[in-house]
Amino acid sequence: MNTLFMHCRPGFEGEVCAEISEHAAQLGVAGYAKGKAQSASAEFVCSEPGAAERLMRELRFDKLIFSRQWARGEFVELPETDRISVLLEHLAALPVAGSLWLEVLDTNDGKELSTFCRKFEGPLRKALEKAGRLVEDAQRPRLLLSFISGRRVFVGLAEADNSALWPMGIPRLKFPREAPSRSTLKLEEAWHQFIPRDQWEERLQDDMTGVDLGASPGGWTYQLVKRGMLVTAIDNGPMAESLMDTGLVQHLMADGFTWKPKHTVDWMVCDIVEKPARSAALIETWLGEGLCREAVVNLKLPMKQRYAEVRRLLDRIEAGFKERKVRVSIACKQLYHDREEVTCHLRRLDLKPRNTRG
């Protein structure tokens, strides 16, 4: 149980390795990271017994940008038949689990394995419950089985409140046919990722105001309108007529990097294709000057040194807020619906409660 296994977007194994290595060094956990290109996974092998558990205990999963899921454990080789007996034997030395997730990697091989996992989960769950190795309890660790093949699996544990919200870190969101573009799923996923579900009614109210910078054709505006918000859409391109017909959208043909609202708005969202440094400066301006209370902004990534660049920009944004003496919470994640980008969520913690429009 001394290896940390992590899922990620294919092609970002190097970013996962760089990120976890930095956190481990800061926490004094010795080890090394490795990840095969396009494998959609990476490992951090700890040098000392119990170090993987300590690393997970002292590091919050939601602080990791590029990891979709993590678990501490080890690889187990399985026979062609009677896999359950081998797993039960291995699990005898581990704590009793409070939940069970069977996971695969985000690769073509992983997609083929998903059918096997669906068929295998039922018999395995029954066997675990009968053996007393699985007891429904949110306080117990989650048992995560990441299948590399039908013959090889990473058997891992993670705390339910310190791991991914969904198996493999992949939300099952349905694309709404009335939305103008598939990019709408990025903002919906961001809200699930960054805002606790029990706070949606408070922080995504229908009497709020929002601004969508670079809005055309309206994929992100759609999510704001769906929540009943009054939206100012900033873009020189056209907006979907279905959104304009709602009466909730004002479309202004202007530059998203220079336009500013006259009054503080509740939400600013931005998915403009631009150099990440310019988008980072936009974030600092909007939150730093109190132009909005919360924001979701995508940072497009460079071809190389992607983690280093994101870390540099986040440090710069944080330093800018400290210089302005404003309190802002900052979170950043490469979401499942992101591509060559990461999504940032920011919230001003020191603004007075908003005035409703009614």
Side-chain angles (χ1 to χ4, degrees), residues 76-306:
V76 175
E77 305 300 325
L78 300 175
E80 187 66 33
T81 59
D82 201 14
R83 299 178 177 91
I84 290 179
S85 294
V86 173
L87 286 171
L88 286 174
E89 182 179 350
H90 181 82
L91 292 171
L94 303 183
V96 174
S99 56
L100 169 68
W101 283 3
L102 272 62
E103 303 184 317
V104 296
L105 302 178
D106 189 14
T107 62
N108 290 332
D109 290 342
K111 291 180 177 65
E112 293 180 4
L113 273 172
S114 61
T115 300
F116 160 77
C117 288
R118 284 195 296 270
K119 294 179 179 179
F120 187 58
E121 181 176 358
L124 175 61
R125 185 180 295 275
K126 288 181 180 178
L128 291 174
E129 291 174 346
K130 183 177 180 181
R133 306 310 305 169
L134 179 62
V135 179
E136 204 67 32
D137 183 353
Q139 302 302 313
R140 295 179 181 273
R142 175 172 289 141
L143 176 59
L144 300 168
L145 302 182
S146 293
F147 281 85
I148 311 304
S149 70
R151 302 287 297 275
R152 193 166 194 251
V153 61
F154 185 86
V155 178
L157 297 174
E159 280 58 51
D161 63 351
N162 192 28
S163 55
L165 299 172
W166 313 277
M168 296 96 72
I170 299 178
R172 304 300 177 184
L173 303 180
K174 185 178 180 181
F175 173 65
R177 289 189 300 173
E178 64 274 19
S181 68
R182 293 198 65 83
S183 69
T184 192
L185 294 176
K186 287 194 281 187
L187 184 54
E188 184 179 357
E189 183 183 353
W191 282 342
H192 282 284
Q193 176 68 45
F194 299 120
I195 304 178
R197 196 64 179 85
D198 60 2
Q199 295 182 21
W200 278 35
E201 294 305 315
E202 173 192 351
R203 295 166 62 182
L204 297 169
Q205 294 184 36
D206 62 4
D207 59 356
M208 287 183 163
T209 54
V211 169
D212 185 355
L213 302 178
S216 177
W220 284 31
T221 296
Y222 170 83
Q223 289 295 330
L224 299 171
V225 168
K226 186 179 178 182
R227 300 297 302 179
M229 298 186 198
L230 282 177
V231 184
T232 303
I234 309 298
D235 202 304
N236 286 315
M239 295 294 292
E241 290 186 13
S242 58
L243 289 173
M244 301 307 300
D245 290 345
T246 65
L248 295 175
V249 181
Q250 179 186 22
H251 180 201
L252 300 180
M253 292 189 175
D255 184 349
F257 282 96
T258 58
W259 183 88
K260 295 181 180 180
K262 294 180 180 179
H263 306 286
T264 300
V265 298
D266 296 295
W267 279 94
M268 182 273 277
V269 298
C270 176
D271 189 26
I272 298 177
V273 179
E274 184 54 88
K275 292 181 179 179
R278 196 176 185 205
S279 296
L282 184 72
I283 290 172
E284 189 179 335
T285 297
W286 273 74
L287 276 295
E289 294 182 7
L291 301 179
C292 64
R293 291 179 172 83
E294 295 196 56
V296 173
V297 179
N298 270 3
L299 298 179
K300 310 304 176 180
L301 300 175
M303 293 298 293
K304 298 180 179 179
Q305 298 293 317
R306 293 176 290 197

